[in-house]
Amino acid sequence: VSAPVATLLVERAAALVTVADGRPGPFAGPRQGELGLVADGAVAADAAGRIIAVGPTAAVRAAVALAPDACVLDATGCCVLPGFVDPHTHAIFAGDRADELAERLAGADYLAILAAGGGILRTVRATRAATAEALVARAAGFLAEMLRHGTTTVEIKSGYGLSVAEELKLLEVARALAERGPQTIVATVLGAHAVPPEWRHAPEGYVAQVIQELLPRVAAADLARFCDVFCERGVFSVEQSRRILQAGAALGLRPKIHAEQKSAFGGTQLAAELGAVSADHLEYASEADIAALATAGTVAVLLPGAAFVLGEERLAPARALVAAGVPVALATDFNPGTCPILSMPLIIGLACLRRQLTPAEAVVAATRNAAYALGLGDDLGSLEVGKRADLVVLDAPAPGHLPYWFGRNLVRTVVKDGRIVWSS
Ligand SMILES: [Zn+2]
């Protein structure tokens, strides 16, 4: 039997973070902090971009045959880890809301700004006015910046169109971004992000339009993998959210939900009831909510950037989630209103520095568990034979340097599907 042929070999890493222990599934409870570290580690990939060997450098060298034109990367002194997976972003939009920050700093409330026609609805006006080409160009710039910070897989929600035609336009933009690459892009339909101004006095009419027109067209054109709802006081009720998510699920769009961000409202229980792939935000989640997520096997996606930018005193109960055995993931929530952060290392830093997660738990949350929050955990998010060779080489010897050098970008090289796609 001849050895598999490697077209990429990354070797001699001071610390190779596999985030793997040979068993499938997200890492929860005590496993939340399992990095699967290999000293003097290496990883090899084939021409198809899949990992064919991973382990100590000597063992990987012995297990593969190098292709004549193989790319060999010496990672001496560096930490190598799976490419970051950002499982919650709103990266397709026009305009900005820099002046709204000043309003909020002066005391204006986020939901009050939205109720007055600002906030999300302002971005909706700008986004509707933009062409699909302009939105692709803008978002591609954001994705390139994410790539430089090590993010190789990105979930993108619609939600700034808020009509059938405009939401479809945004999901077509997401498809165009996916075709451009290099990142893996996962689209989510978030038609229920806010009630659009046209339906302000008849929100039920908009809910009906989402259920009867938008979701069937999204599913028919295979434009999204997930269906999401902003379940919150003054936005969409639990009952409306249930109907929208059930309608999506019946069409093959798995449920996700914005839950318990600004108040204890019931979205987390709904996520558990519907078997949602993830429940996101969770600042106001209760002990009962946490127990329900643990039973349902739903991934908790925490968004510490949004809580930080909004000046929220109340943080998601990360320690209680880990203690209860709920797999915890991290995401940027990148959007023009509540979180302009698009760096996963910065999010890892926030999660640690606000004493929510240990550095090891945060790295697991930003890689393996984030992949499971997108239903992609069997394909990427960890360094294991057969998975996509998506990885990041850090200009630092250990993963603990990510939160430690808070605000710095330590990413030296990014590999996607076995090919170097960015290098400092
Ligand atoms: Zn969001």
Side-chain angles (χ1 to χ4, degrees):
V1 181
S2 58
V5 176
T7 52
L8 174 88
L9 173 66
V10 181
E11 61 177 355
R12 299 193 229 291
L16 182 81
V17 178
T18 63
V19 200
D21 65 0
R23 291 178 292 162
F27 281 2
R31 290 170 87 203
Q32 176 82 46
E34 265 185 39
L35 292 174
L37 275 174
V38 180
D40 187 11
V43 54
D46 64 11
R50 297 277 164 180
I51 295 172
I52 52 171
V54 57
T57 296
V60 170
R61 275 259 174 194
V64 303
L66 279 181
D69 58 347
C71 170
V72 178
L73 220 84
D74 183 355
T76 299
C78 296
C79 172
V80 173
L81 61 168
F84 299 120
V85 177
D86 189 344
H88 183 140
T89 85
H90 305 255
I92 301 171
F93 59 87
D96 68 75
R97 303 205 321 250
D99 49 0
E100 185 183 309
L101 173 63
E103 283 178 52
R104 284 209 318 274
L105 293 175
D109 173 70
Y110 174 70
L111 289 177
I113 292 172
L114 175 59
I120 293 171
L121 296 178
R122 217 171 123 209
T123 299
V124 169
R125 288 192 288 278
T127 305
R128 285 177 174 178
T131 64
E133 294 70 29
L135 292 169
V136 168
R138 183 96 187 278
F142 295 138
L143 288 172
E145 199 169 337
M146 290 175 174
L147 191 70
R148 295 197 291 272
H149 289 86
T151 301
T152 49
T153 297
V154 185
E155 186 257 20
I156 302 179
K157 302 176 195 299
S158 66
Y160 294 120
L162 302 188
S163 72
V164 173
E166 290 294 327
E167 286 290 302
L168 291 173
K169 178 178 90 176
L170 298 187
L171 292 169
E172 296 282 2
V173 168
R175 173 170 285 175
L177 293 166
E179 284 164 3
R180 280 171 74 115
Q183 284 126 318
T184 296
I185 305 294
V186 178
T188 296
V189 54
L190 179 60
H193 193 197
V195 176
E198 310 84 76
W199 294 97
R200 195 172 168 193
H201 300 292
E204 266 304 317
Y206 183 62
V207 171
Q209 193 179 74
V210 168
I211 290 172
Q212 290 162 18
E213 294 181 50
L214 176 62
L215 297 182
R217 289 187 61 179
V218 169
D222 197 19
L223 280 170
R225 187 178 179 110
F226 300 105
C227 177
D228 196 343
V229 175
F230 188 9
C231 181
E232 184 61 74
R233 173 171 53 89
V235 193
F236 292 97
S237 72
V238 171
E239 188 272 328
Q240 290 170 327
S241 301
R242 179 185 288 111
R243 281 190 281 131
I244 292 166
L245 294 177
Q246 281 179 334
L251 294 162
L253 301 162
R254 293 183 68 192
K256 281 180 165 284
I257 188 165
H258 285 64
E260 261 69 51
Q261 180 185 8
K262 306 291 289 181
S263 63
F265 194 68
T268 311
Q269 292 289 342
L270 179 61
E273 173 195 322
L274 299 177
V277 63
S278 73
D280 302 29
H281 281 293
L282 305 176
E283 276 78 1
Y284 286 82
S286 67
E287 283 296 328
D289 291 338
I290 293 166
L293 291 181
T295 303
T298 297
V299 179
V301 176
L302 306 188
L303 308 162
F308 178 75
V309 171
L310 287 173
E312 289 281 353
E313 299 294 327
R314 181 143 177 163
L315 302 178
R319 297 296 349 140
L321 287 162
V322 172
V326 177
V328 173
L330 288 169
T332 60
D333 196 18
F334 175 65
N335 74 79
T338 63
C339 192
I341 298 169
L342 41 66
S343 153
M344 286 297 284
L346 202 62
I347 295 297
I348 288 170
L350 279 174
C352 297
L353 294 170
R354 299 188 99 192
R355 287 180 288 176
Q356 289 194 286
L357 297 176
T358 66
E361 288 170 341
V363 167
V364 171
T367 54
R368 184 183 187 100
N369 285 4
Y372 278 99
L374 294 179
L376 296 176
D378 295 334
D379 192 43
L380 52 87
S382 56
L383 302 182
E384 295 176 83
V385 170
K387 292 197 177 177
R388 288 175 188 257
D390 296 356
L391 52 94
V392 170
V393 181
L394 291 187
D395 202 0
H401 285 246
L402 282 166
Y404 172 70
W405 296 105
F406 185 67
R408 284 186 63 198
N409 185 10
L410 300 177
V411 173
R412 175 187 282 190
T413 304
V414 180
V415 171
K416 174 64 184 162
D417 293 329
R419 282 167 193 83
I420 294 175
V421 289
W422 189 77
S423 198
S424 59

